[in-house]
Amino acid sequence: MKIGELSARTGVSIRSLRYYEEQGLLAPTRSDNGYREFSPLAEEQVRTIQLYLGLGLSTDQIAGFLHCVLKNREAFCNEVLPIYREKLAEIDSQIHLLQNIKLNLEDRIRSILDERPEGQLEE
Amino acid sequence: MKIGELSARTGVSIRSLRYYEEQGLLAPTRSDNGYREFSPLAEEQVRTIQLYLGLGLSTDQIAGFLHCVLKNREAFCNEVLPIYREKLAEIDSQIHLLQNIKLNLEDRIRSILDERPEGQLEE
DNA sequence: CTTGACCCTCACACCAATGTCACGGTTTAT
DNA sequence: ATAAACCGTGACATTGGTGTGAGGGTCAAG
């Protein structure tokens, strides 16, 4: 199938599909006229890519194990687990950072409300 | 004081101080030779800017209330509270997003470990 | 007068996936 | 044959605070 059909089937923009190819995540053949020709399997492949992107992985990381997980169960691809753990640690530290900011903001909001219980105006 | 001194006093890079001026957060005068001349108050001002940046506010948002909070208590600057609330909502939604991803990752890690209790290798 | 430590402006790089032009070739249907 | 609907490549924009480098003034001490 051509890129337009793959895009329509998956909901992923043509631009992104071309980008995935550039990043080594898709490897369509080329027709005589230069058009990309995708196998029917590409549809599931694109959904798989989207799934990993949704987990916050980069195309680089996905490229490291995509060929394996397309053929095997994830559990048998040794590259996956360390990447998951790395990502999890990263997410955790982001969450902590955001929670600190959140507490700080809540404190400051509370201070303002305490200090200005009425709807006072200024400036 | 000149920009180098302000940078040394605050720990903020010269590059950033120039950027803050560009964004309307600092307004140094200029000496005859074109050098920026900062008032002693600029030091506290820079610390205040850093504080708000640390809360995740943009220079644009800070510019909206900085002149007020430098003269009054925060509670009397009406622009502050809505921005805090907006930011808080944003932070909250980011935390939720990250927590969803986190749960997802943890599930997937658990699945892998369940499915592969031994240190099996492949590929 | 020279050296070195300042200062200035302008401008590109970064991160990473996606949008969006421009410009041009191909195919399909009328 | 022509228009519409595809497809191709290339390249710039986005986000936003900061790093970095080029190229060039200013000034104080020796």
Side-chain angles (χ1 to χ4, degrees):
Chain A
M1 88 188 85
K2 287 183 301 222
I3 199 169
E5 187 182 345
L6 183 58
S7 172
R9 281 177 185 275
T10 59
V12 175
S13 75
I14 290 177
R15 175 68 176 88
S16 292
L17 294 176
R18 292 195 184 121
Y19 179 69
Y20 298 162
E21 181 190 17
E22 195 184 356
Q23 298 303 302
L25 301 181
L26 293 175
T29 60
R30 293 296 179 129
S31 305
D32 289 348
N33 54 21
Y35 289 6
R36 290 169 181 82
E37 181 61 35
F38 294 90
S39 99
L41 293 173
E43 187 176 334
E44 191 212 338
Q45 190 163 349
V46 170
R47 294 191 204 288
T48 302
I49 293 169
Q50 290 288 100
L51 182 151
Y52 288 121
L53 285 175
L55 289 175
L57 302 186
S58 68
T59 54
D60 231 37
Q61 292 174 312
I62 298 171
F65 60 69
L66 183 63
H67 66 290
C68 179
V69 299
L70 286 172
K71 283 182 300 193
N72 311 278
R73 299 186 57 76
E74 223 182 42
F76 294 100
C77 298
N78 293 307
E79 296 94 338
V80 175
L81 195 52
I83 289 181
Y84 275 177
R85 289 190 156 134
E86 189 183 331
K87 192 69 197 177
L88 188 56
E90 192 185 318
I91 298 272
D92 262 336
S93 91
Q94 287 182 48
I95 289 177
H96 287 313
L97 186 64
L98 289 175
Q99 278 171 342
N100 281 340
I101 295 179
K102 175 177 175 168
L103 291 178
N104 207 329
L105 279 171
E106 285 171 340
D107 276 354
R108 300 180 78 90
I109 289 174
R110 213 172 308 118
S111 295
I112 290 178
L113 294 180
D114 280 357
E115 212 165 333
R116 202 183 54 173
E118 317 299 334
Q120 296 166 25
L121 294 186
E122 170 97 7
E123 181 143 353
Chain B
M1 90 188 82
K2 287 182 299 215
I3 199 168
E5 188 182 344
L6 183 57
S7 171
R9 281 178 185 276
T10 60
V12 175
S13 74
I14 291 178
R15 176 68 177 89
S16 293
L17 294 175
R18 293 196 184 119
Y19 179 69
Y20 299 162
E21 181 191 16
E22 196 184 15
Q23 298 302 302
L25 300 181
L26 294 175
T29 59
R30 295 295 179 128
S31 305
D32 289 347
N33 55 19
Y35 290 7
R36 290 169 180 81
E37 182 60 35
F38 293 90
S39 101
L41 292 174
E43 188 177 334
E44 191 213 339
Q45 191 162 348
V46 170
R47 295 191 203 286
T48 303
I49 293 168
Q50 290 286 99
L51 181 152
Y52 289 122
L53 285 176
L55 288 175
L57 302 187
S58 68
T59 54
D60 230 38
Q61 291 175 313
I62 299 171
F65 60 70
L66 183 64
H67 66 290
C68 179
V69 298
L70 286 172
K71 283 181 300 192
N72 311 278
R73 300 185 56 75
E74 222 183 44
F76 294 100
C77 299
N78 292 306
E79 297 95 337
V80 176
L81 194 52
I83 288 180
Y84 276 177
R85 290 189 156 135
E86 190 182 329
K87 192 69 197 176
L88 188 55
E90 194 185 315
I91 299 272
D92 263 336
S93 91
Q94 286 181 49
I95 289 177
H96 287 314
L97 186 63
L98 290 175
Q99 278 171 341
N100 282 339
I101 294 179
K102 175 177 175 169
L103 290 178
N104 208 329
L105 279 170
E106 286 171 339
D107 277 353
R108 301 179 77 90
I109 289 174
R110 213 173 308 118
S111 295
I112 290 178
L113 294 180
D114 281 357
E115 214 165 333
R116 201 182 56 171
E118 318 298 333
Q120 299 167 23
L121 293 186
E122 170 97 10
E123 181 142 353

